[in-house]
Amino acid sequence: MRIEENASLEPYNTLRVAARCRFLVQLQSLSDVDEFIADARFRHVPRMILGGGSNLLLRGDFDGVVARVALRGMETVRSDTGAVYLRAAAGEDWHTFVVWTIEHGYAGLENLSLIPGTVGGAPIQNIGAYGVELSDVLHCVEAVHTVSGEARTFDKNACKFSYRESVFKRGERANYIITAITVRLPHTPRYVTDYHGVRQALRDNDITEPNAHSISQAVCQLRRAKLPDPDKLGNAGSFFKNPVLSDARLTSLRRRHSQLPAYPQANGDYKIPAAWLLEQCGWKGRRQGDAGFYDRHALVLVNHGHASGAELLALADRARQDVLDRFGIELEFEPQII
Ligand code: EPU
């Protein structure tokens, strides 16, 4: 187990906040995980389990131990008449796993191409894009309890997934280290191409019979056009969740804001694009020092250089307050604030 003291977390969070931690531990094997849990030095200090750091805002230094999950490996577990089961270790890069599944001839993850972060982070916020959520394909999550060291497999129901939520984001976050996930991909693919941008990108590429590969290409094209590459401009993807409103609330809001876009949900509620609300309040492309909102997508908070976590959070709070004042809608942060 590799341990570094007073380590910089800047390379390990995609918002590129220059925070430090007391200890940084790299977990490269399951025996590293066991060793970390058993280590008396880390028993009574605050702990943070880190994947790709792509859904995280560090307010400041972390006076505790950060355990970075670096477990590797991808494999086909089994195949039955209906589907194939593919397993990836938590430290694998998410997009690398998506590409690996497509190269092996499987479909189901293509809409989730190019999402930054690791495999282990994916179930925590139930990553989703272009009409697909991880919960649509997830079979199980393997995890180790951070105190007892006991290994546990969470089947899909036990993960309690909803929009950008899971049991790991709420109560169990501090209690488990996710070590691997298994996805179940049906042999007969069900391609999801009804998202406007995806349909358009396929048309632009003259694709009439889409497959996992061409959908993945279209999604990558869309994401590259709209979302900043964290290697070039610090960001944590969507910084706010899209709020969900009842029919009655939407009707009442539309009396004053007739243009308010809304997407119907299966239960009769409506999802409102937070990016639209922020753009209406003038936040798209706005900047204060090195903290700002991306000029091509209002939902993305960006670090133009040396913004601190506190500066980024203060800007996000101001934007949230503006949306509340103007629309009466309280936006929720999407990343974890630590
Ligand atoms: N819009 C604006 N201004 C903007 C950008 C968008 O008004 O600057 C409006 C437009 O009306 C647009 C609508 O917002 O039609 C939706 O925009 P987009 O398709 O980009 O999707 P989003 O709702 O902003 C969500 C996810 C993304 C995911 C995309 C595509 C959340 C919080 N975000 O964004 O996920 O990639 O849909 O499915 O649900 C992430 O979670 O980090 C993430 C990037």
Side-chain angles (χ1 to χ4, degrees), residues 130 163-164 195 238 240 242 263 273 276 279 284 297-298:
Y130 308 107
Y163 168 57
R164 294 295 190 278
Y195 198 93
S238 300
F240 300 94
N242 287 325
Y263 303 101
W276 189 87
E279 186 170 347
K284 190 169 181 171
H297 203 303

Side-chain angles (χ1 to χ4, degrees), residues 133-154:
E133 284 187 347
L134 179 68
S135 54
D136 299 331
V137 289
L138 185 107
H139 177 63
C140 68
V141 172
E142 290 164 60
V144 175
H145 196 273
T146 50
V147 178
S148 67
E150 204 180 314
R152 174 170 168 193
T153 299
F154 290 77

Side-chain angles (χ1 to χ4, degrees), residues 216-278:
S216 172
Q217 297 276 303
V219 166
C220 289
Q221 212 173 306
L222 269 180
R223 291 190 74 97
R224 287 195 178 106
K226 277 200 190 176
L227 300 168
D229 176 350
D231 285 337
K232 298 187 182 120
L233 182 64
N235 76 91
S238 300
F239 201 80
F240 300 94
K241 284 194 208 173
N242 287 325
V244 177
L245 305 182
S246 67
D247 191 5
R249 182 113 188 266
L250 176 66
T251 308
S252 140
L253 264 166
R254 276 201 170 146
R255 281 193 208 111
R256 273 181 299 136
H257 307 283
S258 59
Q259 305 298 312
L260 183 68
Y263 303 101
Q265 303 299 292
N267 66 354
D269 287 343
Y270 288 86
K271 205 179 256 184
I272 312 295
W276 189 87
L277 302 171
L278 290 159

Side-chain angles (χ1 to χ4, degrees), residues 8-312:
S8 167
L9 292 173
E10 193 171 341
Y12 302 116
N13 75 97
T14 60
L15 264 167
R16 302 287 171 243
V17 167
R20 304 189 82 82
C21 62
R22 201 178 335 157
F23 300 104
L24 175 66
V25 176
Q26 306 277 350
L27 306 177
Q28 287 169 311
S29 63
L30 287 175
S31 60
D32 279 356
V33 174
D34 291 341
E35 209 182 311
F36 168 68
I37 290 167
D39 197 312
R41 281 171 298 178
F42 306 138
R43 277 276 163 80
H44 303 292
V45 294
R47 304 191 216 192
M48 173 164 67
I49 313 300
L50 189 69
S54 57
N55 201 45
L56 172 71
L57 172 66
L58 297 160
R59 291 167 185 268
D61 291 342
F62 185 75
D63 187 22
V65 56
V66 173
R68 184 167 168 268
V69 180
L71 304 164
R72 307 305 288 269
M74 298 185 278
E75 58 178 332
T76 304
V77 181
R78 68 191 160 95
S79 182
D80 57 26
T81 48
V84 64
Y85 296 77
L86 306 169
R87 180 178 181 273
E92 289 288 349
D93 170 65
W94 172 260
H95 180 66
T96 304
F97 179 47
V98 173
V99 171
W100 180 87
T101 65
I102 296 171
E103 279 171 357
H104 282 73
Y106 304 120
L109 300 187
E110 54 281 0
N111 294 52
L112 304 178
S113 296
L114 217 61
I115 296 183
T118 57
V119 162
I124 297 175
Q125 74 263 25
N126 185 20
I127 56 169
Y130 308 107
V132 174
E133 284 187 347
L134 179 68
S135 54
D136 299 331
V137 289
L138 185 107
H139 177 63
C140 68
V141 172
E142 290 164 60
V144 175
H145 196 273
T146 50
V147 178
S148 67
E150 204 180 314
R152 174 170 168 193
T153 299
F154 290 77
D155 65 17
K156 183 167 149 171
N157 282 340
C159 295
K160 299 202 168 72
F161 287 124
S162 60
Y163 168 57
R164 294 295 190 278
E165 281 290 346
S166 76
V167 73
F168 305 107
K169 199 164 174 181
R170 298 186 293 263
E172 302 295 18
R173 182 173 180 87
N175 297 340
Y176 283 96
I177 299 174
I178 293 173
T179 53
I181 74 165
T182 300
V183 294
R184 177 187 183 279
L185 305 182
H187 292 306
T188 312
R190 274 170 308 205
Y191 299 122
V192 181
T193 56
D194 37 356
Y195 198 93
H196 170 73
V198 174
R199 236 184 300 129
Q200 189 59 46
L202 288 168
R203 221 176 284 142
D204 292 348
N205 298 343
D206 293 326
I207 308 285
T208 48
E209 283 184 42
N211 57 28
H213 179 74
S214 57
I215 294 171
S216 172
Q217 297 276 303
V219 166
C220 289
Q221 212 173 306
L222 269 180
R223 291 190 74 97
R224 287 195 178 106
K226 277 200 190 176
L227 300 168
D229 176 350
D231 285 337
K232 298 187 182 120
L233 182 64
N235 76 91
S238 300
F239 201 80
F240 300 94
K241 284 194 208 173
N242 287 325
V244 177
L245 305 182
S246 67
D247 191 5
R249 182 113 188 266
L250 176 66
T251 308
S252 140
L253 264 166
R254 276 201 170 146
R255 281 193 208 111
R256 273 181 299 136
H257 307 283
S258 59
Q259 305 298 312
L260 183 68
Y263 303 101
Q265 303 299 292
N267 66 354
D269 287 343
Y270 288 86
K271 205 179 256 184
I272 312 295
W276 189 87
L277 302 171
L278 290 159
E279 186 170 347
Q280 295 300 306
C281 293
W283 283 98
K284 190 169 181 171
R286 197 151 139 198
R287 180 172 172 171
Q288 168 104 42
D290 275 348
F293 282 88
Y294 193 47
D295 57 5
R296 274 185 273 159
H297 203 303
L299 201 49
V300 184
L301 189 68
V302 294
N303 183 354
H304 288 285
H306 302 286
S308 67
E311 285 165 342
L312 288 159

